[in-house]
Amino acid sequence: MHRIGFLLMDGFQVMALATQSVFEYANMVAGEPFYRVENYSVNGGPVTSSMGMAVETRAAGTHAAVDTWVMAGVGNPLEAPVPEAMLAFVRKAAPRARRVASICTGAFVLAEAGLLAGRRATTHWAYARAMQRSHPDIRVEDDRIYIVDGPIWTSAGMTAGLDLALAMVEKDLGADTARSVAHKLVMYQRRSGGQSQHSELLDLSPKSDRIQSALDYARKHLGQPLTVEDLAETVHLSPRQFSRIFTAETGQSPAKAIESLRLEAARLMIEQSRHPLDVVARETGFRDRRHMREAFVRGFGIPPQAVRREART
C-alpha cells in the first residue's frame, strides 16, 4: 500500500483536500486499496483552514512509513513565516520519502526548507515572482501547471493540484488508470505539466455576452481568416461598432486577441501532439510556419521548436 500524507498548517486552502479524491478514485479503478491517504500536522489535532473549517490531523512525528508527502498551500504565504517546527519536520521527512510534493503555495514551505534549491519549481502565478526574489537559487517557472524535478513535485494554484495528483496516479498505476480516474471525476482533460497556467479567454474576460460569443466563435474557427468583418457579422454589429466595443471590454484590439488565441492553441498542439509545425501553423490559422515562429518569439520569447523540446523533456 502506498501511503500519502497531506501536511496541513493553520490557514491551509481547502481546495488542497480535493486532490485526495484522485487517490480515492484510483483505488476504485484499481479494484484494491493501493493508496492510503491521511492528514498530518506538526502537533496533530484540529487544523483550521482559511475559511474556518477544522480538519482533524495526526501528529507528523507519529507517522508510519509515508511514501509521498504533500504540502498543502495557504491563502497568502507572504503574510507570516513558516513555523520552524514545520520546516524541521519537512527537512527530516523528505529524504525518507519516495517523493515530496506541494500544491499551490505549499511550494513556499519546500523552498524555505531548502528542498527546491537548484531545482525547477512552480507555484501559484500570483506568488511566483515573490518566490523567485526570495529564493534566487530556484528556477521558478510561473507558467506551468506542475513540474516534476526528481523526487520533488510542485503544482500551480488550486485545480492544478488535481493534475499533479493524476500525474502521480499515472506514474504509479499507468495511463489507462489515470484516464479512467479523470473520466470518473468529470475532468475535461488531464493537463500535461508543461501546459500554461493562463487562459487567453480568461485574461480577456469581456463584459458582455455579445463579445464573449465572438471570442467563442473565434476559438472554434481558428483555422479560418477571422477578419473583423467576420467576427462582427457573427454578433450582428458593424465592423466599426464591433472593434470599438471589443477594445473597450477587453483592452485589446480584435487582431491582437485573435493572435493570442492562435498562440495558445498552437502551444497546446505543440506540447500535446507530434504534429509537424507546418500542420500546427495551418490548423491554428497562421499563414505558415514562419509566421507562427514570429508570433511565438513575439509572444513567448522563444520559438516553437523550443516549446516542443521543453515539453518532451
Side-chain angles (χ1 to χ4, degrees):
M1 181 178 292
H2 188 98
R3 293 177 178 269
I4 298 180
F6 276 69
L7 283 168
L8 308 180
M9 296 188 300
D10 282 328
F12 76 92
Q13 288 282 339
V14 173
M15 188 68 192
L17 300 184
T19 60
Q20 296 182 5
S21 295
V22 173
F23 303 113
E24 175 189 4
Y25 275 78
N27 286 342
M28 294 181 186
V29 173
E32 60 177 334
F34 183 84
Y35 294 107
R36 179 173 178 176
V37 181
E38 294 178 301
N39 295 318
Y40 292 89
S41 64
V42 171
N43 298 316
V47 177
T48 305
S49 74
S50 59
M51 64 179 295
M53 182 183 75
V55 174
E56 194 65 32
T57 64
R58 295 181 60 187
T62 65
H63 69 88
V66 170
D67 299 284
T68 299
W69 286 108
V70 180
M71 187 70 228
V74 295
N76 186 340
L78 308 179
E79 289 183 343
V82 180
E84 185 56 41
M86 174 63 83
L87 296 177
F89 174 76
V90 171
R91 294 185 187 110
K92 181 179 179 180
R96 302 175 181 175
R98 182 158 70 93
R99 59 194 172 202
V100 178
S102 64
I103 297 174
C104 193
T105 55
F108 278 79
V109 177
L110 304 190
E112 291 292 333
L115 270 62
L116 302 183
R119 295 185 182 276
R120 298 168 58 238
T122 192
T123 187
H124 192 293
W125 61 265
Y127 299 102
R129 291 185 180 179
M131 174 177 281
Q132 188 67 84
R133 286 194 301 268
S134 301
H135 303 278
D137 56 348
I138 302 172
R139 181 183 168 189
V140 181
E141 300 185 19
D142 63 355
D143 198 27
R144 291 291 177 265
I145 296 296
Y146 65 84
I147 289 176
V148 181
D149 190 329
I152 307 297
W153 298 51
T154 54
S155 84
M158 302 302 181
T159 58
L162 296 171
D163 300 288
L164 178 140
L166 274 171
M168 289 183 176
V169 170
E170 180 171 336
K171 179 75 171 177
D172 297 337
L173 296 171
D176 289 343
T177 298
R179 279 193 293 270
S180 181
V181 170
H183 180 68
K184 290 180 182 299
L185 290 174
V186 199
M187 294 177 68
Y188 175 66
Q189 63 175 345
R190 188 187 75 74
R191 297 179 294 181
S192 65
Q195 195 164 330
S196 172
Q197 291 190 37
H198 306 288
S199 166
E200 288 299 332
L201 285 177
L202 287 176
D203 288 344
L204 291 168
S205 58
K207 297 178 177 61
S208 68
D209 291 340
R210 181 171 284 185
I211 299 302
Q212 182 64 59
S213 296
L215 285 170
D216 289 340
Y217 175 86
R219 183 174 57 83
K220 295 174 183 177
H221 299 83
L222 289 176
Q224 299 178 14
L226 294 177
T227 64
V228 170
E229 289 75 15
D230 294 332
L231 296 176
E233 184 178 351
T234 66
V235 292
H236 310 294
L237 290 172
S238 70
R240 184 175 180 180
Q241 283 179 307
F242 177 79
S243 294
R244 177 176 56 80
I245 296 172
F246 189 99
T247 303
E249 291 193 15
T250 67
Q252 294 187 22
S253 68
K256 177 63 176 175
I258 296 305
E259 180 174 283
S260 295
L261 291 177
R262 294 193 199 282
L263 277 173
E264 182 176 66
R267 178 169 166 169
L268 289 177
M269 281 191 70
I270 290 169
E271 290 176 340
Q272 299 179 7
S273 76
R274 295 182 177 274
H275 292 309
L277 295 182
D278 290 327
V279 173
V280 174
R282 183 172 64 249
E283 290 293 319
T284 54
F286 291 100
R287 289 193 302 273
D288 50 34
R289 179 172 172 168
R290 180 179 178 180
H291 180 211
M292 182 174 72
R293 186 185 189 281
E294 292 171 351
F296 262 70
V297 173
R298 184 166 55 248
F300 301 135
I302 57 175
Q305 295 90 331
V307 173
R308 171 150 285 173
R309 283 196 301 271
E310 186 171 338
R312 288 177 177 175
T313 302

